Amino acid sequence: MLYLVGLGLSDETDITVRGLEVVKRASRVYLEAYTSILLVDQSVLESYYGRPVVVADREMVESNSDEILRDAQTEDVAFLVVGDPFGATTHTDLVLRARELGIPVQTVPNASIMSGIGATGLQLYNFGQTVSMVFFLDNWRPASFYDRIRENRSIGLHTLVLLDIKVKEQSLENMARGRKIYEPPRYMTVGQCAQQMLEIEEEKKEGVYGPDSLAIGAARVGSKTEKFAAGTLKQLCEADHILGGPLHSLVLLGNRAHELERDYAREFALDKNSWDNVWAANYSKA
Amino acid sequence: MLYLVGLGLSDETDITVRGLEVVKRASRVYLEAYTSILLVDQSVLESYYGRPVVVADREMVESNSDEILRDAQTEDVAFLVVGDPFGATTHTDLVLRARELGIPVQTVPNASIMSGIGATGLQLYNFGQTVSMVFFLDNWRPASFYDRIRENRSIGLHTLVLLDIKVKEQSLENMARGRKIYEPPRYMTVGQCAQQMLEIEEEKKEGVYGPDSLAIGAARVGSKTEKFAAGTLKQLCEADHILGGPLHSLVLLGNRAHELERDYAREFALDKNSWDNVWAANYSKA
């Protein structure tokens, strides 16, 4: 059996009791570690589980999945995924390959940022499609998120923006020379995301949102140190020191927002007067 | 401290390790039991936790929250919610009241149907807003879901439909006579949902969807007995015997669906030929 086990959002104790049982009895345990991260290291997981864990990078999962699935017709293999196995990304290919090999698959669900973001006080019913934001390069500024946000906003809905993480990246020079030396990991902050969003709006000038659009920055959702900052995109460009360390996410508010959402999130406002004023001007229900 | 603890989707072992620690050490433990249910009884939870659990019905949570919050300034109170505490419904009011009383609040997230539905193979990125479907009565057929689905479909997105549950309902006669006798619980099936959707389309005739629109019915998502059935709404009207017992949910597909979603969900098709044909005719990407 292949078990896809969600680890939740924060630390080693966020695994479910059922998930922990699977990990303890599996023949081999893999940790998918390139689409998201826990706030604790692999070594903490290993000592908590009392067994070794193989870190599976993108290359291994995409090109060497048969090694992960080896003998899983008769043995139990646990494939651990931060968040929910079908959350921010899916491992559809791995399951399709398992099916081809006649390997049964079972999922152990867990918290995902896609539902955890409800801790902002924004109603999950009012969210449209989720988008991703990648680190811009000088000559590469993918902006497909802009059209998706337009679609969501056209029907009044919030947009969850998931922020890029870069782990195990090589510099161009190291890549060219074939040196397996990796850069330190980088995690996009709410400030960087808000900045990039405003850059694209300035470029496109289609008024999908602007510096005074309301948003909520979220850090370490679901952990004991989770932190939120609510304000305009302009304010959020400068709020990283309040949010603290990774992982960050951002929600751009839709205009169909409800008073209860306003009142709940006001607690997190960087400037409560500004929050009240912008809300009254642009987000009161029709 | 008030702890909002998610229980996940299926049985007593779906609680997280952190959540279980909170339950074991809290002064009092409440179970919110009117917006969703686990697949096991309260007594199973009580014996698993080794302590009593107070079932909190809607009346208690909405009208008597101060009893739940009693002394939580200095003691730990655990409020258990099936799924994620901020998942299908939110307990915003309870948290706002706790804030007024100076009670700190911490959330222990867990799996929600809103991310667990990814087990259908449909990409969570391609979902629009979630809607709810209630049991129709002769003179009460609320159809606001119809306009929400139209919005989602206008931008090509899937719609998750959450299905009504009726627990602790009184008959009109018992209510009139003030008898606290409750009807057996009722859980809407995928078949009932598909039927009601088609009734509303027939009434409105705006072509938001129709008998040949593709959908996936889901039963007991996240449990060992989870089951999916993919087909047209017409086919799903008659597929309850394949899906089995509660809880059910339904996803109506959007036209922006991806080939990988088609291939993954094909495994669940009630009629693979029909699935392939309808997909090719109406769901191939532009």
Side-chain angles (χ1 to χ4, degrees), chain B residues 46-283:
Chain B
E46 290 185 323
S47 89
Y48 191 72
Y49 302 153
R51 57 179 304 168
V53 168
V54 179
V55 171
D57 58 18
R58 188 185 297 271
E59 195 192 332
M60 181 173 201
V61 177
E62 291 180 358
S63 315
N64 200 10
S65 59
D66 281 8
E67 168 55 23
I68 295 171
L69 297 172
R70 178 170 49 84
D71 300 329
Q73 290 88 349
T74 52
E75 294 177 9
D76 288 343
V77 173
F79 185 78
L80 312 185
V81 181
V82 174
D84 184 82
F86 293 103
T89 187
T90 72
H91 296 283
T92 315
D93 280 324
L94 187 65
V95 174
L96 286 173
R97 181 66 184 146
R99 280 191 197 158
E100 282 173 17
L101 297 170
I103 296 168
V105 180
Q106 212 169 88
T107 305
V108 182
N110 208 322
S112 156
I113 185 65
M114 287 191 165
S115 50
I117 198 67
T120 52
L122 300 174
Q123 308 272 328
L124 295 178
Y125 284 90
N126 292 340
F127 280 73
Q129 60 200 315
T130 298
V131 303
S132 294
M133 176 71 73
V134 301
F135 283 111
F136 287 174
L137 302 175
D138 286 344
N139 51 358
W140 192 67
R141 296 148 54 95
S144 66
F145 69 85
Y146 189 78
D147 294 324
R148 300 279 182 262
I149 291 178
R150 186 213 322 273
E151 291 170 343
N152 286 343
R153 282 180 68 87
S154 74
I155 52 178
L157 299 177
H158 308 315
T159 305
L160 170 62
V161 187
L162 300 177
L163 310 191
D164 204 3
I165 71 171
K166 292 281 184 208
V167 292
K168 230 182 159 182
E169 298 279 312
Q170 286 171 286
S171 68
L172 285 176
E173 194 190 335
N174 282 327
M175 203 183 293
R177 292 172 187 251
R179 293 191 293 223
K180 299 228 168 206
I181 299 172
Y182 301 102
E183 302 299 302
R186 289 191 301 149
Y187 308 102
M188 188 183 286
T189 67
V190 161
Q192 290 167 325
C193 173
Q195 186 62 46
Q196 291 193 173
M197 286 175 69
L198 291 177
E199 278 174 44
I200 295 297
E201 175 58 55
E202 251 180 57
E203 196 176 297
K204 301 206 177 240
K205 294 192 185 2
E206 296 170 23
V208 168
Y209 50 80
D212 290 330
S213 297
L214 292 180
I216 302 181
R220 301 171 308 285
V221 170
S223 80
K224 288 172 193 165
T225 66
E226 77 180 357
K227 184 93 189 168
F228 303 103
T232 64
L233 282 178
K234 199 172 148 196
Q235 288 168 343
L236 286 174
C237 286
E238 309 292 336
D240 285 346
H241 61 289
I242 289 169
L243 287 165
L247 297 177
H248 287 192
S249 316
L250 181 145
V251 182
L252 185 72
L253 267 64
N255 290 63
R256 199 191 282 167
H258 189 276
E259 287 171 9
L260 206 59
E261 297 178 290
R262 175 196 62 198
D263 295 345
Y264 195 102
R266 186 177 191 273
E267 175 93 0
F268 312 127
L270 293 163
D271 174 338
K272 289 191 168 53
N273 278 334
S274 147
W275 177 259
D276 292 342
N277 292 339
V278 177
W279 192 290
N282 299 320
Y283 293 82

Side-chain angles (χ1 to χ4, degrees), chain B residues 8-44:
Chain B
L9 295 169
S10 164
D11 69 20
E12 69 280 11
T13 64
D14 284 324
I15 195 169
T16 66
V17 175
R18 178 152 71 102
L20 189 57
E21 286 166 5
V22 168
V23 169
K24 283 186 182 286
R25 73 162 186 267
S27 299
R28 300 190 306 282
V29 179
Y30 296 92
L31 171 65
E32 187 273 88
Y34 58 93
T35 58
S36 189
I37 55 149
L38 281 186
L39 307 179
V40 294
D41 287 335
Q42 176 192 357
S43 60
V44 174

